[in-house]
Amino acid sequence: MIVSHRHRYVFVHIPKTGGTSLTLALEARVGRDDIILSDTPKGRNRRRRVKGAAARGRLWKHSTLADIEGLVAPELLAGYLPFTLVRNPWARAASYHRWLRGQSFDHASVRLAKSLGFADFLRAPLTQRQLSVPARHYLTGSAGERPGLYLRLERLGDDLPALERHLGFSLRPLPHENRSGNGDWRASYDADSAALVARLAAEDIARFGYRFDPD
């Protein structure tokens, strides 16, 4: 999450969508008073600025627009462009499982991923709750979903220009951070698990035109 007063935007970081790479690119041009909620070096250096701040929800790297209400004056926030990254839900789920299996912190999802194969991980109620959250949830505040930009990770060449016009500078080439493995994510799926993700992420699949099969 970045709230930029300098460039009048709010970047909302949906988990496992490539958001760390975009955060680093944006951080290179932040202003002195911009708010960074991330695990990057610059984000860690600015954490004290929001310590004890009044906000509607949790202030962390994956905060939603609703979470940060109260942190920034509403009349300012209303004039800022909100945007986020989205990712093919089947690729995102496979990446999430691989990433969790490599973590060492104590969390229910980490324990699930380390103890279960991918198909069983998808069937766990906790995983299904997480994967059922649509992208619009992240750009929704108390007054409803805000008009903003949804940048498709797989189509950044098509989607980034609209953001760059607002920023007034190029973000390319983007750095590559937090990769959770290579290879074809489709190999992780059987017919049942692919159908399960299709059901869980039906809203985003329809909204952004995602498919399981390659174009």
Side-chain angles (χ1 to χ4, degrees):
M1 161 76 74
I2 299 176
V3 181
S4 176
H5 303 298
R6 182 181 188 182
H7 297 291
R8 299 174 61 81
Y9 70 75
V10 182
F11 168 54
V12 181
H13 182 176
I14 298 175
K16 301 312 299 174
T17 58
T20 299
S21 296
L22 184 53
T23 295
L24 289 168
L26 291 166
E27 282 184 0
R29 306 288 284 270
V30 293
R32 178 180 298 178
D33 297 325
D34 289 355
I35 298 168
I36 304 173
L37 305 175
S38 76
D39 295 331
T40 63
K42 191 169 287 188
R44 289 193 293 270
N45 288 338
R46 296 194 182 192
R47 280 179 183 171
R48 65 183 183 278
R49 299 187 183 184
V50 299
K51 186 176 182 179
R56 181 180 176 187
R58 181 183 178 189
L59 297 179
W60 69 309
K61 66 187 292 184
H62 300 306
S63 291
T64 67
L65 286 185
D67 290 332
I68 65 168
E69 289 181 0
L71 181 63
V72 179
E75 61 272 17
L76 285 179
L77 202 60
Y80 291 0
L81 172 71
F83 65 92
T84 191
L85 277 166
V86 297
R87 184 180 186 182
N88 182 303
W90 290 282
R92 180 174 174 242
S95 174
Y96 184 44
H97 181 250
R98 288 194 302 269
W99 179 80
L100 287 170
R101 288 172 70 90
Q103 303 310 304
S104 59
F105 58 88
D106 184 27
H107 189 277
S109 292
V110 174
R111 295 192 294 272
L112 273 176
K114 289 188 173 186
S115 64
L116 298 175
F118 182 55
D120 289 331
F121 173 75
L122 289 178
R123 285 191 284 267
L126 174 59
T127 305
Q128 294 194 22
R129 288 195 299 273
Q130 293 168 337
L131 297 182
S132 296
V133 178
R136 64 173 168 81
H137 168 76
Y138 289 86
L139 294 194
T140 296
S142 58
E145 182 181 358
R146 285 273 307 276
L149 298 177
Y150 292 90
L151 311 175
R152 297 165 296 174
L153 181 64
E154 304 81 6
R155 296 287 187 271
L156 279 181
D158 298 328
D159 295 350
L160 268 181
L163 174 60
E164 291 171 330
R165 285 193 294 272
H166 174 86
L167 298 174
F169 58 85
S170 174
L171 290 166
R172 288 169 280 190
L174 288 175
H176 296 285
E177 295 291 329
N178 279 3
R179 288 184 171 180
S180 54
N182 297 316
D184 186 356
W185 49 263
R186 294 172 185 84
S188 301
Y189 287 90
D190 57 22
D192 289 340
S193 57
L196 176 56
V197 172
R199 177 175 61 82
L200 296 173
E203 179 178 324
D204 285 352
I205 290 168
R207 181 171 189 172
F208 303 114
Y210 282 119
R211 297 171 53 196
F212 182 82
D213 295 320
D215 295 337

